[in-house]
Amino acid sequence: MNALRREIDQRQAELPAIRMEGEAALRRLLPIAQRDTGQSSVVARFLLNLYNGERFPFDLSDLRRLDFDLFDDCMAVLKMDFQPAKEVHSYFDNGGVIWEALAKEWGFRYYAGTNWR
């Protein structure tokens, strides 16, 4: 029990830095997701999955298509979202509108019983 308490305390102490790094990474990733490249598609689907995982499934193996910096930024955002202070879209003014536009721009549609594509 003491080991668990120490781990919880350590993670709580690290949380401000994790959130600061994650938010900075998120702010770098959104403009990438709004572009029209292969890596942009991966980043867009990653961010949309964090926004709503049921609506926007994401294959983790697609992260292999990213360069190292983008991969590291995705991991920083994921680490931040593991213990969220707020939803990823909430870091931006009109974030819900931005994320919905991102889904529309990439042509993600939902059909009952099938995946987004």
Side-chain angles (χ1 to χ4, degrees), residues 3-4 7-8 12-13 22 32 40 48 54 56-57 60 71-72 86 90 98-100 117:
L4 177 60
E7 182 176 356
I8 290 170
Q12 287 298 318
I32 303 286
S40 295
L48 286 165
E54 186 174 325
F56 305 104
L60 289 172
F71 175 81
D72 289 343
K86 54 188 174 180
S90 298
I98 293 168
W99 258 250
E100 291 297 328
R117 295 289 173 208

PDB file of all heavy atoms in Angstrom, residues 3-4 7-8 12-13 22 32 40 48 54 56-57 60 71-72 86 90 98-100 117:
ATOM      1  N   ALA A   3       3.766   1.634  -1.424  1.00  0.00           N
ATOM      2  CA  ALA A   3       4.309   1.812  -2.771  1.00  0.00           C
ATOM      3  C   ALA A   3       3.272   2.486  -3.667  1.00  0.00           C
ATOM      4  O   ALA A   3       3.616   3.366  -4.471  1.00  0.00           O
ATOM      5  CB  ALA A   3       4.749   0.474  -3.358  1.00  0.00           C
ATOM      6  N   LEU A   4       2.034   2.078  -3.550  1.00  0.00           N
ATOM      7  CA  LEU A   4       0.961   2.687  -4.341  1.00  0.00           C
ATOM      8  C   LEU A   4       0.802   4.163  -3.967  1.00  0.00           C
ATOM      9  O   LEU A   4       0.672   5.014  -4.841  1.00  0.00           O
ATOM     10  CB  LEU A   4      -0.352   1.929  -4.126  1.00  0.00           C
ATOM     11  CG  LEU A   4      -1.565   2.505  -4.840  1.00  0.00           C
ATOM     12  CD1 LEU A   4      -1.357   2.522  -6.352  1.00  0.00           C
ATOM     13  CD2 LEU A   4      -2.804   1.695  -4.477  1.00  0.00           C
ATOM     14  N   GLU A   7       3.591   6.138  -5.496  1.00  0.00           N
ATOM     15  CA  GLU A   7       3.399   6.315  -6.938  1.00  0.00           C
ATOM     16  C   GLU A   7       2.335   7.373  -7.218  1.00  0.00           C
ATOM     17  O   GLU A   7       2.515   8.224  -8.094  1.00  0.00           O
ATOM     18  CB  GLU A   7       3.023   5.001  -7.613  1.00  0.00           C
ATOM     19  CG  GLU A   7       2.879   5.151  -9.111  1.00  0.00           C
ATOM     20  CD  GLU A   7       2.606   3.857  -9.845  1.00  0.00           C
ATOM     21  OE1 GLU A   7       2.585   2.783  -9.221  1.00  0.00           O
ATOM     22  OE2 GLU A   7       2.410   3.927 -11.072  1.00  0.00           O
ATOM     23  N   ILE A   8       1.251   7.328  -6.501  1.00  0.00           N
ATOM     24  CA  ILE A   8       0.190   8.330  -6.671  1.00  0.00           C
ATOM     25  C   ILE A   8       0.718   9.725  -6.367  1.00  0.00           C
ATOM     26  O   ILE A   8       0.489  10.674  -7.126  1.00  0.00           O
ATOM     27  CB  ILE A   8      -1.036   7.989  -5.793  1.00  0.00           C
ATOM     28  CG1 ILE A   8      -1.738   6.741  -6.335  1.00  0.00           C
ATOM     29  CG2 ILE A   8      -2.000   9.176  -5.703  1.00  0.00           C
ATOM     30  CD1 ILE A   8      -2.808   6.176  -5.425  1.00  0.00           C
ATOM     31  N   GLN A  12       1.070  12.795  -9.059  1.00  0.00           N
ATOM     32  CA  GLN A  12       0.419  14.082  -8.785  1.00  0.00           C
ATOM     33  C   GLN A  12       1.423  15.227  -8.856  1.00  0.00           C
ATOM     34  O   GLN A  12       1.106  16.306  -9.355  1.00  0.00           O
ATOM     35  CB  GLN A  12      -0.277  14.064  -7.417  1.00  0.00           C
ATOM     36  CG  GLN A  12      -1.543  13.243  -7.390  1.00  0.00           C
ATOM     37  CD  GLN A  12      -2.602  13.772  -8.338  1.00  0.00           C
ATOM     38  OE1 GLN A  12      -2.826  14.973  -8.451  1.00  0.00           O
ATOM     39  NE2 GLN A  12      -3.261  12.875  -9.050  1.00  0.00           N
ATOM     40  N   ALA A  13       2.640  14.981  -8.364  1.00  0.00           N
ATOM     41  CA  ALA A  13       3.681  16.000  -8.419  1.00  0.00           C
ATOM     42  C   ALA A  13       4.093  16.299  -9.863  1.00  0.00           C
ATOM     43  O   ALA A  13       4.443  17.434 -10.194  1.00  0.00           O
ATOM     44  CB  ALA A  13       4.894  15.561  -7.601  1.00  0.00           C
ATOM     45  N   GLY A  22       1.760  18.741 -22.468  1.00  0.00           N
ATOM     46  CA  GLY A  22       0.667  18.235 -23.293  1.00  0.00           C
ATOM     47  C   GLY A  22      -0.081  19.340 -24.008  1.00  0.00           C
ATOM     48  O   GLY A  22      -0.417  19.219 -25.193  1.00  0.00           O
ATOM     49  N   ILE A  32      -1.232  21.064 -37.659  1.00  0.00           N
ATOM     50  CA  ILE A  32      -0.793  19.952 -38.513  1.00  0.00           C
ATOM     51  C   ILE A  32      -2.021  19.182 -38.997  1.00  0.00           C
ATOM     52  O   ILE A  32      -2.136  18.842 -40.177  1.00  0.00           O
ATOM     53  CB  ILE A  32       0.148  18.996 -37.742  1.00  0.00           C
ATOM     54  CG1 ILE A  32       1.360  19.726 -37.195  1.00  0.00           C
ATOM     55  CG2 ILE A  32       0.529  17.794 -38.596  1.00  0.00           C
ATOM     56  CD1 ILE A  32       2.411  20.122 -38.158  1.00  0.00           C
ATOM     57  N   SER A  40      -0.752  14.576 -41.569  1.00  0.00           N
ATOM     58  CA  SER A  40      -1.885  15.366 -41.081  1.00  0.00           C
ATOM     59  C   SER A  40      -3.108  14.493 -40.847  1.00  0.00           C
ATOM     60  O   SER A  40      -3.837  14.674 -39.866  1.00  0.00           O
ATOM     61  CB  SER A  40      -2.233  16.475 -42.074  1.00  0.00           C
ATOM     62  OG  SER A  40      -1.192  17.403 -42.172  1.00  0.00           O
ATOM     63  N   LEU A  48      -9.140  13.547 -33.137  1.00  0.00           N
ATOM     64  CA  LEU A  48     -10.579  13.265 -33.149  1.00  0.00           C
ATOM     65  C   LEU A  48     -10.911  12.085 -32.241  1.00  0.00           C
ATOM     66  O   LEU A  48     -11.944  12.086 -31.570  1.00  0.00           O
ATOM     67  CB  LEU A  48     -11.058  13.005 -34.578  1.00  0.00           C
ATOM     68  CG  LEU A  48     -11.148  14.255 -35.445  1.00  0.00           C
ATOM     69  CD1 LEU A  48     -11.266  13.872 -36.928  1.00  0.00           C
ATOM     70  CD2 LEU A  48     -12.311  15.139 -35.012  1.00  0.00           C
ATOM     71  N   GLU A  54     -15.586   6.864 -29.581  1.00  0.00           N
ATOM     72  CA  GLU A  54     -16.611   6.008 -30.180  1.00  0.00           C
ATOM     73  C   GLU A  54     -16.935   6.456 -31.605  1.00  0.00           C
ATOM     74  O   GLU A  54     -17.090   5.641 -32.501  1.00  0.00           O
ATOM     75  CB  GLU A  54     -17.879   6.035 -29.326  1.00  0.00           C
ATOM     76  CG  GLU A  54     -18.933   5.058 -29.815  1.00  0.00           C
ATOM     77  CD  GLU A  54     -20.123   4.992 -28.885  1.00  0.00           C
ATOM     78  OE1 GLU A  54     -19.938   5.116 -27.658  1.00  0.00           O
ATOM     79  OE2 GLU A  54     -21.246   4.820 -29.397  1.00  0.00           O
ATOM     80  N   PHE A  56     -14.915   8.308 -33.523  1.00  0.00           N
ATOM     81  CA  PHE A  56     -13.709   8.406 -34.339  1.00  0.00           C
ATOM     82  C   PHE A  56     -12.679   7.354 -33.931  1.00  0.00           C
ATOM     83  O   PHE A  56     -11.714   7.668 -33.221  1.00  0.00           O
ATOM     84  CB  PHE A  56     -13.097   9.807 -34.232  1.00  0.00           C
ATOM     85  CG  PHE A  56     -14.040  10.923 -34.565  1.00  0.00           C
ATOM     86  CD1 PHE A  56     -14.610  11.698 -33.570  1.00  0.00           C
ATOM     87  CD2 PHE A  56     -14.372  11.194 -35.884  1.00  0.00           C
ATOM     88  CE1 PHE A  56     -15.479  12.734 -33.870  1.00  0.00           C
ATOM     89  CE2 PHE A  56     -15.253  12.227 -36.197  1.00  0.00           C
ATOM     90  CZ  PHE A  56     -15.806  13.001 -35.193  1.00  0.00           C
ATOM     91  N   PRO A  57     -12.845   6.112 -34.350  1.00  0.00           N
ATOM     92  CA  PRO A  57     -11.861   5.079 -34.011  1.00  0.00           C
ATOM     93  C   PRO A  57     -10.492   5.428 -34.587  1.00  0.00           C
ATOM     94  O   PRO A  57     -10.394   6.141 -35.595  1.00  0.00           O
ATOM     95  CB  PRO A  57     -12.413   3.811 -34.678  1.00  0.00           C
ATOM     96  CG  PRO A  57     -13.800   4.111 -35.076  1.00  0.00           C
ATOM     97  CD  PRO A  57     -13.941   5.601 -35.165  1.00  0.00           C
ATOM     98  N   LEU A  60      -3.851   2.510 -33.588  1.00  0.00           N
ATOM     99  CA  LEU A  60      -2.597   2.965 -32.992  1.00  0.00           C
ATOM    100  C   LEU A  60      -1.379   2.697 -33.871  1.00  0.00           C
ATOM    101  O   LEU A  60      -0.394   3.438 -33.812  1.00  0.00           O
ATOM    102  CB  LEU A  60      -2.387   2.312 -31.626  1.00  0.00           C
ATOM    103  CG  LEU A  60      -3.312   2.803 -30.510  1.00  0.00           C
ATOM    104  CD1 LEU A  60      -3.135   1.948 -29.262  1.00  0.00           C
ATOM    105  CD2 LEU A  60      -3.052   4.264 -30.210  1.00  0.00           C
ATOM    106  N   PHE A  71       5.212  12.205 -33.341  1.00  0.00           N
ATOM    107  CA  PHE A  71       4.919  11.078 -32.458  1.00  0.00           C
ATOM    108  C   PHE A  71       5.064  11.509 -30.993  1.00  0.00           C
ATOM    109  O   PHE A  71       4.193  11.230 -30.170  1.00  0.00           O
ATOM    110  CB  PHE A  71       5.844   9.893 -32.759  1.00  0.00           C
ATOM    111  CG  PHE A  71       5.671   8.755 -31.796  1.00  0.00           C
ATOM    112  CD1 PHE A  71       4.643   7.841 -31.951  1.00  0.00           C
ATOM    113  CD2 PHE A  71       6.532   8.604 -30.710  1.00  0.00           C
ATOM    114  CE1 PHE A  71       4.466   6.798 -31.059  1.00  0.00           C
ATOM    115  CE2 PHE A  71       6.362   7.563 -29.815  1.00  0.00           C
ATOM    116  CZ  PHE A  71       5.332   6.656 -29.984  1.00  0.00           C
ATOM    117  N   ASP A  72       6.164  12.183 -30.681  1.00  0.00           N
ATOM    118  CA  ASP A  72       6.383  12.635 -29.306  1.00  0.00           C
ATOM    119  C   ASP A  72       5.282  13.585 -28.856  1.00  0.00           C
ATOM    120  O   ASP A  72       4.823  13.514 -27.703  1.00  0.00           O
ATOM    121  CB  ASP A  72       7.748  13.305 -29.172  1.00  0.00           C
ATOM    122  CG  ASP A  72       8.905  12.318 -29.262  1.00  0.00           C
ATOM    123  OD1 ASP A  72       8.693  11.093 -29.107  1.00  0.00           O
ATOM    124  OD2 ASP A  72      10.045  12.778 -29.503  1.00  0.00           O
ATOM    125  N   LYS A  86      -9.389  18.810 -18.578  1.00  0.00           N
ATOM    126  CA  LYS A  86     -10.536  19.122 -19.418  1.00  0.00           C
ATOM    127  C   LYS A  86     -10.375  18.361 -20.730  1.00  0.00           C
ATOM    128  O   LYS A  86      -9.317  17.794 -21.006  1.00  0.00           O
ATOM    129  CB  LYS A  86     -10.670  20.630 -19.655  1.00  0.00           C
ATOM    130  CG  LYS A  86      -9.437  21.313 -20.200  1.00  0.00           C
ATOM    131  CD  LYS A  86      -9.643  22.816 -20.204  1.00  0.00           C
ATOM    132  CE  LYS A  86      -8.400  23.570 -20.589  1.00  0.00           C
ATOM    133  NZ  LYS A  86      -8.606  25.020 -20.580  1.00  0.00           N
ATOM    134  N   SER A  90     -11.402  21.536 -25.477  1.00  0.00           N
ATOM    135  CA  SER A  90     -11.666  22.662 -24.571  1.00  0.00           C
ATOM    136  C   SER A  90     -10.458  23.562 -24.349  1.00  0.00           C
ATOM    137  O   SER A  90     -10.582  24.626 -23.735  1.00  0.00           O
ATOM    138  CB  SER A  90     -12.158  22.135 -23.220  1.00  0.00           C
ATOM    139  OG  SER A  90     -13.363  21.434 -23.388  1.00  0.00           O
ATOM    140  N   ILE A  98     -14.246  23.593 -33.898  1.00  0.00           N
ATOM    141  CA  ILE A  98     -12.998  23.279 -34.607  1.00  0.00           C
ATOM    142  C   ILE A  98     -12.878  21.777 -34.843  1.00  0.00           C
ATOM    143  O   ILE A  98     -12.553  21.336 -35.948  1.00  0.00           O
ATOM    144  CB  ILE A  98     -11.778  23.806 -33.816  1.00  0.00           C
ATOM    145  CG1 ILE A  98     -11.786  25.339 -33.788  1.00  0.00           C
ATOM    146  CG2 ILE A  98     -10.476  23.272 -34.409  1.00  0.00           C
ATOM    147  CD1 ILE A  98     -10.800  25.952 -32.811  1.00  0.00           C
ATOM    148  N   TRP A  99     -13.156  20.975 -33.832  1.00  0.00           N
ATOM    149  CA  TRP A  99     -13.028  19.519 -33.977  1.00  0.00           C
ATOM    150  C   TRP A  99     -14.077  18.968 -34.946  1.00  0.00           C
ATOM    151  O   TRP A  99     -13.773  18.079 -35.735  1.00  0.00           O
ATOM    152  CB  TRP A  99     -13.108  18.846 -32.611  1.00  0.00           C
ATOM    153  CG  TRP A  99     -11.774  18.429 -32.065  1.00  0.00           C
ATOM    154  CD1 TRP A  99     -11.328  17.150 -31.918  1.00  0.00           C
ATOM    155  CD2 TRP A  99     -10.698  19.269 -31.606  1.00  0.00           C
ATOM    156  NE1 TRP A  99     -10.051  17.142 -31.397  1.00  0.00           N
ATOM    157  CE2 TRP A  99      -9.640  18.438 -31.193  1.00  0.00           C
ATOM    158  CE3 TRP A  99     -10.530  20.639 -31.508  1.00  0.00           C
ATOM    159  CZ2 TRP A  99      -8.443  18.927 -30.690  1.00  0.00           C
ATOM    160  CZ3 TRP A  99      -9.341  21.129 -30.999  1.00  0.00           C
ATOM    161  CH2 TRP A  99      -8.320  20.278 -30.610  1.00  0.00           C
ATOM    162  N   GLU A 100     -15.290  19.492 -34.887  1.00  0.00           N
ATOM    163  CA  GLU A 100     -16.315  19.037 -35.836  1.00  0.00           C
ATOM    164  C   GLU A 100     -15.944  19.427 -37.264  1.00  0.00           C
ATOM    165  O   GLU A 100     -16.163  18.664 -38.208  1.00  0.00           O
ATOM    166  CB  GLU A 100     -17.693  19.581 -35.450  1.00  0.00           C
ATOM    167  CG  GLU A 100     -18.257  18.981 -34.168  1.00  0.00           C
ATOM    168  CD  GLU A 100     -18.518  17.485 -34.240  1.00  0.00           C
ATOM    169  OE1 GLU A 100     -18.855  16.957 -35.330  1.00  0.00           O
ATOM    170  OE2 GLU A 100     -18.409  16.825 -33.184  1.00  0.00           O
ATOM    171  N   ARG A 117     -14.421   6.392 -41.826  1.00  0.00           N
ATOM    172  CA  ARG A 117     -13.347   6.322 -42.850  1.00  0.00           C
ATOM    173  C   ARG A 117     -13.404   7.555 -43.696  1.00  0.00           C
ATOM    174  O   ARG A 117     -14.390   8.128 -43.972  1.00  0.00           O
ATOM    175  CB  ARG A 117     -13.460   5.079 -43.732  1.00  0.00           C
ATOM    176  CG  ARG A 117     -13.241   3.813 -42.945  1.00  0.00           C
ATOM    177  CD  ARG A 117     -11.797   3.678 -42.538  1.00  0.00           C
ATOM    178  NE  ARG A 117     -11.736   2.519 -41.662  1.00  0.00           N
ATOM    179  CZ  ARG A 117     -10.867   2.371 -40.726  1.00  0.00           C
ATOM    180  NH1 ARG A 117      -9.980   3.261 -40.492  1.00  0.00           N
ATOM    181  NH2 ARG A 117     -10.849   1.316 -39.986  1.00  0.00           N
TER     182      ARG A 117
END
